Amino acid sequence: MFFHPMDFLIIIAFGLSLWAQFRVKGTFNRYADVPASSGLTGAEAARRMLDANGLTNVPVEHIPGTLTDHYDPISRVVRLSDPVYMGSSISAISVACHEVGHAVQHKVSYPMLVARHRIFPIVNFTSGVAPLLLLAGWFFHAANLLLLGIVFFSAAVAFQLITLPVEFNASSRAKTMMVKMGFIRNNEEGCVNKVLGAAALTYVAAALISMLELIKYIMIFNSSRDE
């Protein structure tokens, strides 16, 4: 349970996750020094994009910190961090419009976003219980507990996998609208792709780690049945 051959792959995936996080910060900081040709701040770009999509009732709020940007589907609010809300860089408007992409998904009931919202309460419960079940199943050699832990952990993996198309789709919507509304010029599209692409890597790495861990637990379960 604690030292398994799959752990080597998980460590590699974890290293990829750390690298992805450093790349997100590095890419964001790099293009935070590159002014967008439109001169819009992240807050202004978000407001215009929301209004263009009929989301005049969705406010854009400031939130402290860096890279704390998110769309709150419960309050239906786009919250932007310090350098994004007030910044007028490529990074600022890219992140701001990405979050608006989630608001647009919410409006049109994008299927994968709907699925993620529905599975979240389940994952919120199972992700806390699964490790205890897996540990107890291994410690007491109880295959039933291991199996139940795997089932619960699978919900967390499903959530990670569903998150991938949600994030990629939000970025795609953002880039399309940024070009259409004149927020960026053709020579700036590559910069936007780098900013949003770096952020997407963190979700890919997280999903990979979860999948490898699930495979590990399934292998442990199969081994316990053979004993």
Side-chain angles (χ1 to χ4, degrees), residues 58-118:
V58 176
V60 179
E61 296 181 353
H62 171 261
I63 186 172
T66 302
L67 297 178
T68 50
D69 315 87
H70 64 278
Y71 168 67
D72 184 343
I74 297 177
S75 302
R76 303 197 69 137
V77 174
V78 171
R79 296 193 175 100
L80 304 178
S81 62
D82 293 327
V84 173
Y85 188 92
M86 296 175 285
S88 56
S89 66
I90 292 292
S91 289
I93 64 171
S94 296
V95 173
C97 290
H98 171 86
E99 298 308 331
V100 174
H102 288 307
V104 176
Q105 288 175 333
H106 195 176
K107 177 190 176 184
V108 301
S109 297
Y110 176 59
M112 301 307 288
L113 183 68
V114 172
R116 189 171 74 168
H117 287 172
R118 288 179 178 174

Side-chain angles (χ1 to χ4, degrees), residues 123-141:
V123 173
N124 200 32
F125 169 74
T126 59
S127 60
V129 177
L132 300 176
L133 291 171
L134 292 166
L135 185 61
W138 171 80
F139 187 79
F140 294 110
H141 300 284

Side-chain angles (χ1 to χ4, degrees), residues 93-220:
I93 64 171
S94 296
V95 173
C97 290
H98 171 86
E99 298 308 331
V100 174
H102 288 307
V104 176
Q105 288 175 333
H106 195 176
K107 177 190 176 184
V108 301
S109 297
Y110 176 59
M112 301 307 288
L113 183 68
V114 172
R116 189 171 74 168
H117 287 172
R118 288 179 178 174
I119 198 176
F120 179 76
I122 299 173
V123 173
N124 200 32
F125 169 74
T126 59
S127 60
V129 177
L132 300 176
L133 291 171
L134 292 166
L135 185 61
W138 171 80
F139 187 79
F140 294 110
H141 300 284
N144 289 339
L145 288 178
L146 269 175
L147 180 59
L148 186 58
I150 289 171
V151 172
F152 278 19
F153 187 76
S154 296
V157 176
F159 183 83
Q160 294 280 5
L161 294 176
I162 290 173
T163 295
L164 293 180
V166 171
E167 294 299 326
F168 283 118
N169 180 264
S171 290
S172 177
R173 291 174 187 271
K175 287 182 283 188
T176 299
M177 288 298 296
M178 289 169 75
V179 173
K180 182 179 179 180
M181 299 184 70
F183 294 173
I184 57 172
R185 295 175 179 171
N186 292 337
N187 61 337
E188 295 174 315
E189 289 186 47
C191 302
V192 172
N193 287 334
K194 290 178 181 178
V195 172
L196 298 181
L201 277 178
T202 61
Y203 295 101
V204 173
L208 178 60
I209 291 172
S210 296
M211 289 179 63
L212 291 174
E213 288 182 335
L214 179 60
I215 294 172
K216 169 187 171 180
Y217 298 140
I218 292 174
M219 291 175 67
I220 291 173

